[in-house]
């Protein structure tokens, strides 16, 4: 009986140890991701001081919005065509 209890606690502590190791890996990965995101934000903020960078970024955003609008137009036209059949 005592042997069963000892084995139970031994297994439980080993599970906790493995869980702690796994959580540590998750924490390390999350910290590295936050650090990289922070650096990216900093680099973007520095780049915003450059007018050429700002122009390119704004133009890219406008192009993206135009593409999205064109896709919406195509889908709307398909819906119109389907209702006329």
């Amino acid at each position: 009986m005592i042997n069963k209890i000892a084995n139970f606690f031994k297994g439980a502590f080993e599970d906790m140890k493995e869980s702690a190791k796994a959580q540590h890996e998750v924490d390390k990965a999350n910290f590295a991701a936050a650090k990289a995101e922070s650096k990216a934000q900093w680099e973007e903020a520095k780049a915003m001081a450059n007018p050429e960078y700002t122009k390119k970024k704004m133009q890219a955003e406008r192009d993206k919005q135009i593409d999205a609008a064109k896709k919406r137009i195509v889908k709307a036209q398909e819906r119109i065509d389907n209702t006329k059949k």
Side-chain angles (χ1 to χ4, degrees):
M1 176 76 169
I2 294 176
N3 202 13
K4 279 187 173 181
I5 295 172
N7 286 338
F8 170 78
F9 280 111
K10 183 179 178 182
F13 285 120
E14 284 183 21
D15 287 346
M16 286 191 296
K17 181 180 175 182
E18 291 300 317
S19 179
K21 282 182 183 179
Q23 186 61 45
H24 180 66
E25 291 299 317
V26 170
D27 292 343
K28 281 179 22 180
N30 282 331
F31 180 74
K35 187 176 175 182
E37 289 167 345
S38 179
K39 183 173 174 115
Q41 246 181 340
W42 170 251
E43 293 298 329
E44 286 175 342
K46 282 192 332 186
M48 290 301 279
N50 181 352
E52 288 301 315
Y53 174 82
T54 305
K55 285 180 188 177
K56 286 179 186 177
K57 187 168 182 162
M58 291 175 70
Q59 186 60 46
E61 184 61 33
R62 287 190 292 264
D63 291 344
K64 186 176 167 184
Q65 290 175 352
I66 289 170
D67 289 342
K70 286 180 181 178
K71 289 177 184 176
R72 289 175 42 215
I73 291 169
V74 168
K75 286 183 180 181
Q77 189 61 49
E78 288 174 357
R79 289 173 49 204
I80 291 168
D81 294 342
N82 287 338
T83 56
K84 289 187 177 183
K85 290 182 182 178

